[in-house]
Amino acid sequence: MRALIVSDIHANLEALQAVLAASPVYDVVWNLGDIVGYGANPNEVIDESRRLGTVFVRGNHDRVCCGLSDVEDFNPIAQRAARWTECVLTGEHRDWLRHLAAGPVMPDGPQVSCVHGSPIDEDEYILTVRDAWISLHAPRTRITFFGHTHVQGGFATNGDEWIRLTPRHGRLLRGIAPAEPDEYELRLREGVRYLLNPGSVGQPRDGDWRAAFAVYDDEQMLLTWYRVPYDVREAQERILEAGLPDRLASRLREGR
Ligand code: ZN
């Protein structure tokens, strides 16, 4: 079974379409949340996401944009985007967001969990090995897929050693991402516990502007991280046309 794993699409339709065009063949789609918020196409991205899969975990932006959580907890730019999103969402989509599951969701038997933030707290950011420590002990499953940080990579431990996993995309030159696709494979080992982040489809924050996703193959025990270029300019124009904050457009090109 091969799972296409996407997270933090953030209503960026151009990035989602590029991911789907570039992805190898998959059997299922696991969506780790933050489907909406920031970007200009929340209804279209929800339609496409629903068409693709049945495994979803809700993100903090999904909760706020459908009124389940308080918008006041967001910074001013995220607040403006969330209020705009709530206004343009169809009633059916708002209702669909309200019924998304909080993680952990276990889509593949006892091996794998899907969460938005961490297995313990759906709003927690796992950015460092220290952050990962409790989460690597806590889950019932050996492999946890998480999102929320918009940083592709992850963490692993065999009980003695604790390491950070960073996909080394070969063509990333002096921090500048080229307009070409890239992939990086990780062979998953027996006896090791993993926290794995596919990265953000629609608003990467790891310095690489290209849309991020991952494919997990449970027969070969292989995770492949991908980066694919997409039409950033089009996504930016739609954000500006919608009257969303300029910063939400400019950060797409920076990958920050
Ligand atoms: Zn997010």
Side-chain angles (χ1 to χ4, degrees), residues 21-58:
S23 171
V25 176
Y26 52 83
D27 303 298
V28 290
V29 179
W30 299 343
N31 188 322
L32 309 182
D34 276 4
I35 298 158
V36 300
Y38 296 138
N41 289 94
N43 287 307
E44 295 83 352
V45 165
I46 289 176
D47 279 335
E48 189 71 348
S49 300
R50 292 174 74 176
R51 194 180 64 73
L52 290 171
T54 52
V55 174
F56 295 94
V57 179
R58 69 184 185 184

mmCIF file of all heavy atoms in Angstrom, residues 21-58:
data_model
loop_
_atom_site.group_PDB
_atom_site.id
_atom_site.type_symbol
_atom_site.label_atom_id
_atom_site.label_comp_id
_atom_site.label_asym_id
_atom_site.label_seq_id
_atom_site.Cartn_x
_atom_site.Cartn_y
_atom_site.Cartn_z
ATOM 1 N N ALA A 21 -0.107 16.293 -9.714
ATOM 2 C CA ALA A 21 0.463 16.000 -11.033
ATOM 3 C C ALA A 21 1.813 15.300 -10.906
ATOM 4 O O ALA A 21 2.184 14.490 -11.756
ATOM 5 C CB ALA A 21 0.610 17.301 -11.821
ATOM 6 N N ALA A 22 2.552 15.595 -9.842
ATOM 7 C CA ALA A 22 3.917 15.065 -9.709
ATOM 8 C C ALA A 22 3.979 13.767 -8.923
ATOM 9 O O ALA A 22 4.971 13.033 -9.008
ATOM 10 C CB ALA A 22 4.791 16.109 -9.007
ATOM 11 N N SER A 23 2.949 13.472 -8.157
ATOM 12 C CA SER A 23 3.016 12.315 -7.259
ATOM 13 C C SER A 23 3.072 11.006 -8.049
ATOM 14 O O SER A 23 2.406 10.854 -9.067
ATOM 15 C CB SER A 23 1.791 12.297 -6.352
ATOM 16 O OG SER A 23 1.757 11.087 -5.631
ATOM 17 N N PRO A 24 3.854 10.027 -7.556
ATOM 18 C CA PRO A 24 3.773 8.691 -8.139
ATOM 19 C C PRO A 24 2.412 8.078 -7.792
ATOM 20 O O PRO A 24 1.639 8.651 -7.020
ATOM 21 C CB PRO A 24 4.898 7.937 -7.451
ATOM 22 C CG PRO A 24 5.136 8.668 -6.179
ATOM 23 C CD PRO A 24 4.785 10.101 -6.432
ATOM 24 N N VAL A 25 2.131 6.927 -8.365
ATOM 25 C CA VAL A 25 0.847 6.259 -8.128
ATOM 26 C C VAL A 25 0.697 5.959 -6.630
ATOM 27 O O VAL A 25 1.652 5.550 -5.975
ATOM 28 C CB VAL A 25 0.782 4.948 -8.941
ATOM 29 C CG1 VAL A 25 -0.507 4.192 -8.638
ATOM 30 C CG2 VAL A 25 0.900 5.255 -10.419
ATOM 31 N N TYR A 26 -0.504 6.198 -6.100
ATOM 32 C CA TYR A 26 -0.759 5.918 -4.687
ATOM 33 C C TYR A 26 -2.105 5.232 -4.551
ATOM 34 O O TYR A 26 -2.944 5.276 -5.459
ATOM 35 C CB TYR A 26 -0.718 7.217 -3.870
ATOM 36 C CG TYR A 26 -1.602 8.295 -4.412
ATOM 37 C CD1 TYR A 26 -2.964 8.310 -4.101
ATOM 38 C CD2 TYR A 26 -1.104 9.272 -5.263
ATOM 39 C CE1 TYR A 26 -3.789 9.294 -4.628
ATOM 40 C CE2 TYR A 26 -1.929 10.244 -5.790
ATOM 41 C CZ TYR A 26 -3.269 10.250 -5.469
ATOM 42 O OH TYR A 26 -4.083 11.211 -5.992
ATOM 43 N N ASP A 27 -2.298 4.570 -3.400
ATOM 44 C CA ASP A 27 -3.565 3.872 -3.136
ATOM 45 C C ASP A 27 -4.510 4.711 -2.288
ATOM 46 O O ASP A 27 -5.722 4.623 -2.434
ATOM 47 C CB ASP A 27 -3.280 2.553 -2.407
ATOM 48 C CG ASP A 27 -2.327 1.687 -3.199
ATOM 49 O OD1 ASP A 27 -2.691 1.305 -4.321
ATOM 50 O OD2 ASP A 27 -1.208 1.417 -2.712
ATOM 51 N N VAL A 28 -3.935 5.464 -1.354
ATOM 52 C CA VAL A 28 -4.761 6.254 -0.427
ATOM 53 C C VAL A 28 -4.102 7.613 -0.211
ATOM 54 O O VAL A 28 -2.906 7.776 -0.477
ATOM 55 C CB VAL A 28 -4.908 5.549 0.953
ATOM 56 C CG1 VAL A 28 -5.779 4.315 0.837
ATOM 57 C CG2 VAL A 28 -3.557 5.217 1.544
ATOM 58 N N VAL A 29 -4.903 8.556 0.293
ATOM 59 C CA VAL A 29 -4.371 9.874 0.648
ATOM 60 C C VAL A 29 -4.641 10.117 2.132
ATOM 61 O O VAL A 29 -5.773 9.942 2.588
ATOM 62 C CB VAL A 29 -5.030 10.993 -0.189
ATOM 63 C CG1 VAL A 29 -4.477 12.359 0.211
ATOM 64 C CG2 VAL A 29 -4.808 10.754 -1.678
ATOM 65 N N TRP A 30 -3.586 10.467 2.854
ATOM 66 C CA TRP A 30 -3.739 10.842 4.266
ATOM 67 C C TRP A 30 -3.469 12.335 4.358
ATOM 68 O O TRP A 30 -2.395 12.812 3.989
ATOM 69 C CB TRP A 30 -2.752 10.066 5.148
ATOM 70 C CG TRP A 30 -2.968 8.580 5.090
ATOM 71 C CD1 TRP A 30 -4.075 7.922 4.633
ATOM 72 C CD2 TRP A 30 -2.041 7.567 5.494
ATOM 73 N NE1 TRP A 30 -3.892 6.564 4.736
ATOM 74 C CE2 TRP A 30 -2.666 6.313 5.264
ATOM 75 C CE3 TRP A 30 -0.764 7.596 6.045
ATOM 76 C CZ2 TRP A 30 -2.026 5.108 5.545
ATOM 77 C CZ3 TRP A 30 -0.128 6.398 6.334
ATOM 78 C CH2 TRP A 30 -0.759 5.171 6.095
ATOM 79 N N ASN A 31 -4.453 13.061 4.882
ATOM 80 C CA ASN A 31 -4.388 14.521 4.938
ATOM 81 C C ASN A 31 -4.279 14.958 6.403
ATOM 82 O O ASN A 31 -5.164 14.672 7.210
ATOM 83 C CB ASN A 31 -5.660 15.090 4.289
ATOM 84 C CG ASN A 31 -5.605 16.585 4.122
ATOM 85 O OD1 ASN A 31 -5.099 17.305 4.982
ATOM 86 N ND2 ASN A 31 -6.133 17.069 3.011
ATOM 87 N N LEU A 32 -3.184 15.630 6.740
ATOM 88 C CA LEU A 32 -2.878 15.937 8.141
ATOM 89 C C LEU A 32 -3.388 17.303 8.600
ATOM 90 O O LEU A 32 -2.996 17.774 9.655
ATOM 91 C CB LEU A 32 -1.359 15.853 8.371
ATOM 92 C CG LEU A 32 -0.678 14.566 7.882
ATOM 93 C CD1 LEU A 32 0.818 14.598 8.228
ATOM 94 C CD2 LEU A 32 -1.322 13.318 8.485
ATOM 95 N N GLY A 33 -4.265 17.925 7.791
ATOM 96 C CA GLY A 33 -4.955 19.112 8.293
ATOM 97 C C GLY A 33 -4.376 20.446 7.862
ATOM 98 O O GLY A 33 -3.375 20.511 7.160
ATOM 99 N N ASP A 34 -5.048 21.524 8.318
ATOM 100 C CA ASP A 34 -4.843 22.876 7.793
ATOM 101 C C ASP A 34 -5.055 22.867 6.276
ATOM 102 O O ASP A 34 -4.203 23.287 5.497
ATOM 103 C CB ASP A 34 -3.488 23.472 8.195
ATOM 104 C CG ASP A 34 -3.539 24.111 9.575
ATOM 105 O OD1 ASP A 34 -4.597 24.023 10.224
ATOM 106 O OD2 ASP A 34 -2.532 24.700 10.003
ATOM 107 N N ILE A 35 -6.246 22.430 5.942
ATOM 108 C CA ILE A 35 -6.665 22.384 4.541
ATOM 109 C C ILE A 35 -6.927 23.815 4.065
ATOM 110 O O ILE A 35 -6.648 24.157 2.919
ATOM 111 C CB ILE A 35 -7.932 21.506 4.431
ATOM 112 C CG1 ILE A 35 -7.604 20.072 4.873
ATOM 113 C CG2 ILE A 35 -8.504 21.519 3.006
ATOM 114 C CD1 ILE A 35 -8.808 19.271 5.305
ATOM 115 N N VAL A 36 -7.443 24.640 4.961
ATOM 116 C CA VAL A 36 -7.773 26.034 4.615
ATOM 117 C C VAL A 36 -7.012 27.013 5.517
ATOM 118 O O VAL A 36 -6.290 26.615 6.418
ATOM 119 C CB VAL A 36 -9.299 26.283 4.729
ATOM 120 C CG1 VAL A 36 -10.055 25.371 3.789
ATOM 121 C CG2 VAL A 36 -9.783 26.105 6.168
ATOM 122 N N GLY A 37 -7.237 28.323 5.233
ATOM 123 C CA GLY A 37 -6.544 29.380 5.973
ATOM 124 C C GLY A 37 -5.333 29.839 5.185
ATOM 125 O O GLY A 37 -4.597 29.002 4.662
ATOM 126 N N TYR A 38 -5.143 31.159 5.073
ATOM 127 C CA TYR A 38 -4.041 31.840 4.364
ATOM 128 C C TYR A 38 -4.289 31.981 2.855
ATOM 129 O O TYR A 38 -4.131 33.044 2.305
ATOM 130 C CB TYR A 38 -2.679 31.154 4.552
ATOM 131 C CG TYR A 38 -2.142 31.126 5.951
ATOM 132 C CD1 TYR A 38 -1.537 29.980 6.469
ATOM 133 C CD2 TYR A 38 -2.198 32.255 6.761
ATOM 134 C CE1 TYR A 38 -1.016 29.948 7.742
ATOM 135 C CE2 TYR A 38 -1.674 32.228 8.043
ATOM 136 C CZ TYR A 38 -1.089 31.071 8.531
ATOM 137 O OH TYR A 38 -0.571 31.042 9.800
ATOM 138 N N GLY A 39 -4.631 30.901 2.173
ATOM 139 C CA GLY A 39 -4.718 30.927 0.715
ATOM 140 C C GLY A 39 -6.090 31.358 0.215
ATOM 141 O O GLY A 39 -7.055 31.514 0.980
ATOM 142 N N ALA A 40 -6.199 31.524 -1.117
ATOM 143 C CA ALA A 40 -7.363 32.172 -1.717
ATOM 144 C C ALA A 40 -8.418 31.198 -2.247
ATOM 145 O O ALA A 40 -9.439 31.634 -2.762
ATOM 146 C CB ALA A 40 -6.904 33.098 -2.834
ATOM 147 N N ASN A 41 -8.187 29.887 -2.151
ATOM 148 C CA ASN A 41 -9.143 28.937 -2.744
ATOM 149 C C ASN A 41 -9.610 27.851 -1.763
ATOM 150 O O ASN A 41 -9.462 26.651 -2.041
ATOM 151 C CB ASN A 41 -8.512 28.275 -3.981
ATOM 152 C CG ASN A 41 -8.389 29.238 -5.135
ATOM 153 O OD1 ASN A 41 -7.336 29.861 -5.306
ATOM 154 N ND2 ASN A 41 -9.440 29.416 -5.906
ATOM 155 N N PRO A 42 -10.188 28.271 -0.638
ATOM 156 C CA PRO A 42 -10.589 27.259 0.348
ATOM 157 C C PRO A 42 -11.653 26.285 -0.161
ATOM 158 O O PRO A 42 -11.551 25.072 0.093
ATOM 159 C CB PRO A 42 -11.103 28.083 1.530
ATOM 160 C CG PRO A 42 -11.412 29.434 0.966
ATOM 161 C CD PRO A 42 -10.455 29.641 -0.172
ATOM 162 N N ASN A 43 -12.661 26.795 -0.890
ATOM 163 C CA ASN A 43 -13.732 25.881 -1.341
ATOM 164 C C ASN A 43 -13.215 24.874 -2.367
ATOM 165 O O ASN A 43 -13.527 23.677 -2.288
ATOM 166 C CB ASN A 43 -14.897 26.683 -1.914
ATOM 167 C CG ASN A 43 -15.678 27.392 -0.825
ATOM 168 O OD1 ASN A 43 -16.109 26.759 0.152
ATOM 169 N ND2 ASN A 43 -15.837 28.697 -0.959
ATOM 170 N N GLU A 44 -12.389 25.349 -3.297
ATOM 171 C CA GLU A 44 -11.853 24.450 -4.322
ATOM 172 C C GLU A 44 -10.923 23.407 -3.702
ATOM 173 O O GLU A 44 -10.927 22.233 -4.105
ATOM 174 C CB GLU A 44 -11.084 25.261 -5.387
ATOM 175 C CG GLU A 44 -11.958 26.201 -6.197
ATOM 176 C CD GLU A 44 -12.244 27.546 -5.511
ATOM 177 O OE1 GLU A 44 -11.897 27.725 -4.327
ATOM 178 O OE2 GLU A 44 -12.836 28.411 -6.166
ATOM 179 N N VAL A 45 -10.124 23.838 -2.725
ATOM 180 C CA VAL A 45 -9.181 22.896 -2.096
ATOM 181 C C VAL A 45 -9.935 21.858 -1.248
ATOM 182 O O VAL A 45 -9.563 20.683 -1.222
ATOM 183 C CB VAL A 45 -8.118 23.664 -1.276
ATOM 184 C CG1 VAL A 45 -7.370 22.741 -0.327
ATOM 185 C CG2 VAL A 45 -7.126 24.343 -2.229
ATOM 186 N N ILE A 46 -11.013 22.269 -0.594
ATOM 187 C CA ILE A 46 -11.813 21.288 0.144
ATOM 188 C C ILE A 46 -12.441 20.287 -0.819
ATOM 189 O O ILE A 46 -12.408 19.074 -0.586
ATOM 190 C CB ILE A 46 -12.896 21.974 1.008
ATOM 191 C CG1 ILE A 46 -12.248 22.693 2.190
ATOM 192 C CG2 ILE A 46 -13.913 20.936 1.523
ATOM 193 C CD1 ILE A 46 -13.232 23.489 3.038
ATOM 194 N N ASP A 47 -12.999 20.780 -1.924
ATOM 195 C CA ASP A 47 -13.593 19.862 -2.915
ATOM 196 C C ASP A 47 -12.570 18.831 -3.385
ATOM 197 O O ASP A 47 -12.852 17.635 -3.439
ATOM 198 C CB ASP A 47 -14.092 20.654 -4.138
ATOM 199 C CG ASP A 47 -15.458 21.284 -3.885
ATOM 200 O OD1 ASP A 47 -16.201 20.751 -3.041
ATOM 201 O OD2 ASP A 47 -15.763 22.292 -4.532
ATOM 202 N N GLU A 48 -11.392 19.312 -3.731
ATOM 203 C CA GLU A 48 -10.350 18.418 -4.244
ATOM 204 C C GLU A 48 -9.889 17.441 -3.148
ATOM 205 O O GLU A 48 -9.693 16.244 -3.407
ATOM 206 C CB GLU A 48 -9.170 19.265 -4.748
ATOM 207 C CG GLU A 48 -8.117 18.517 -5.502
ATOM 208 C CD GLU A 48 -8.562 18.057 -6.885
ATOM 209 O OE1 GLU A 48 -9.770 18.116 -7.188
ATOM 210 O OE2 GLU A 48 -7.703 17.596 -7.642
ATOM 211 N N SER A 49 -9.747 17.924 -1.943
ATOM 212 C CA SER A 49 -9.307 17.064 -0.839
ATOM 213 C C SER A 49 -10.327 15.962 -0.559
ATOM 214 O O SER A 49 -9.959 14.807 -0.325
ATOM 215 C CB SER A 49 -9.098 17.893 0.437
ATOM 216 O OG SER A 49 -8.121 18.875 0.227
ATOM 217 N N ARG A 50 -11.594 16.314 -0.598
ATOM 218 C CA ARG A 50 -12.646 15.316 -0.348
ATOM 219 C C ARG A 50 -12.679 14.270 -1.451
ATOM 220 O O ARG A 50 -12.945 13.094 -1.201
ATOM 221 C CB ARG A 50 -14.009 15.995 -0.235
ATOM 222 C CG ARG A 50 -14.111 16.847 0.999
ATOM 223 C CD ARG A 50 -15.408 17.616 1.024
ATOM 224 N NE ARG A 50 -16.573 16.781 1.349
ATOM 225 C CZ ARG A 50 -17.798 17.261 1.509
ATOM 226 N NH1 ARG A 50 -18.013 18.555 1.389
ATOM 227 N NH2 ARG A 50 -18.797 16.456 1.808
ATOM 228 N N ARG A 51 -12.412 14.734 -2.668
ATOM 229 C CA ARG A 51 -12.407 13.808 -3.794
ATOM 230 C C ARG A 51 -11.257 12.795 -3.649
ATOM 231 O O ARG A 51 -11.368 11.635 -4.040
ATOM 232 C CB ARG A 51 -12.222 14.616 -5.084
ATOM 233 C CG ARG A 51 -12.508 13.877 -6.361
ATOM 234 C CD ARG A 51 -12.287 14.767 -7.572
ATOM 235 N NE ARG A 51 -10.908 15.205 -7.742
ATOM 236 C CZ ARG A 51 -9.918 14.426 -8.153
ATOM 237 N NH1 ARG A 51 -10.125 13.173 -8.437
ATOM 238 N NH2 ARG A 51 -8.688 14.914 -8.261
ATOM 239 N N LEU A 52 -10.168 13.225 -3.045
ATOM 240 C CA LEU A 52 -8.968 12.393 -2.978
ATOM 241 C C LEU A 52 -8.979 11.362 -1.879
ATOM 242 O O LEU A 52 -8.369 10.306 -2.011
ATOM 243 C CB LEU A 52 -7.738 13.289 -2.722
ATOM 244 C CG LEU A 52 -7.304 14.183 -3.850
ATOM 245 C CD1 LEU A 52 -6.243 15.145 -3.359
ATOM 246 C CD2 LEU A 52 -6.778 13.341 -4.987
ATOM 247 N N GLY A 53 -9.594 11.691 -0.736
ATOM 248 C CA GLY A 53 -9.355 10.807 0.389
ATOM 249 C C GLY A 53 -10.420 10.786 1.444
ATOM 250 O O GLY A 53 -11.329 11.600 1.445
ATOM 251 N N THR A 54 -10.257 9.832 2.335
ATOM 252 C CA THR A 54 -11.182 9.706 3.449
ATOM 253 C C THR A 54 -10.469 9.834 4.790
ATOM 254 O O THR A 54 -11.118 9.889 5.825
ATOM 255 C CB THR A 54 -11.884 8.338 3.413
ATOM 256 O OG1 THR A 54 -10.884 7.332 3.318
ATOM 257 C CG2 THR A 54 -12.833 8.220 2.245
ATOM 258 N N VAL A 55 -9.143 9.853 4.773
ATOM 259 C CA VAL A 55 -8.404 9.961 6.036
ATOM 260 C C VAL A 55 -7.985 11.416 6.227
ATOM 261 O O VAL A 55 -7.165 11.949 5.481
ATOM 262 C CB VAL A 55 -7.169 9.034 6.044
ATOM 263 C CG1 VAL A 55 -6.333 9.266 7.300
ATOM 264 C CG2 VAL A 55 -7.612 7.583 5.951
ATOM 265 N N PHE A 56 -8.569 12.052 7.242
ATOM 266 C CA PHE A 56 -8.308 13.459 7.520
ATOM 267 C C PHE A 56 -8.090 13.658 9.012
ATOM 268 O O PHE A 56 -8.732 13.000 9.824
ATOM 269 C CB PHE A 56 -9.505 14.339 7.130
ATOM 270 C CG PHE A 56 -9.787 14.363 5.660
ATOM 271 C CD1 PHE A 56 -10.705 13.483 5.106
ATOM 272 C CD2 PHE A 56 -9.140 15.263 4.831
ATOM 273 C CE1 PHE A 56 -10.976 13.505 3.754
ATOM 274 C CE2 PHE A 56 -9.404 15.293 3.472
ATOM 275 C CZ PHE A 56 -10.321 14.409 2.926
ATOM 276 N N VAL A 57 -7.198 14.580 9.320
ATOM 277 C CA VAL A 57 -7.051 15.069 10.687
ATOM 278 C C VAL A 57 -7.256 16.577 10.618
ATOM 279 O O VAL A 57 -6.769 17.225 9.696
ATOM 280 C CB VAL A 57 -5.638 14.764 11.228
ATOM 281 C CG1 VAL A 57 -5.485 15.287 12.637
ATOM 282 C CG2 VAL A 57 -5.347 13.278 11.169
ATOM 283 N N ARG A 58 -7.963 17.146 11.577
ATOM 284 C CA ARG A 58 -8.214 18.582 11.499
ATOM 285 C C ARG A 58 -6.979 19.370 11.968
ATOM 286 O O ARG A 58 -6.215 18.915 12.830
ATOM 287 C CB ARG A 58 -9.415 18.954 12.359
ATOM 288 C CG ARG A 58 -9.143 18.818 13.838
ATOM 289 C CD ARG A 58 -10.375 19.093 14.656
ATOM 290 N NE ARG A 58 -10.056 19.073 16.081
ATOM 291 C CZ ARG A 58 -10.950 19.201 17.040
ATOM 292 N NH1 ARG A 58 -12.249 19.332 16.735
ATOM 293 N NH2 ARG A 58 -10.585 19.195 18.310
#
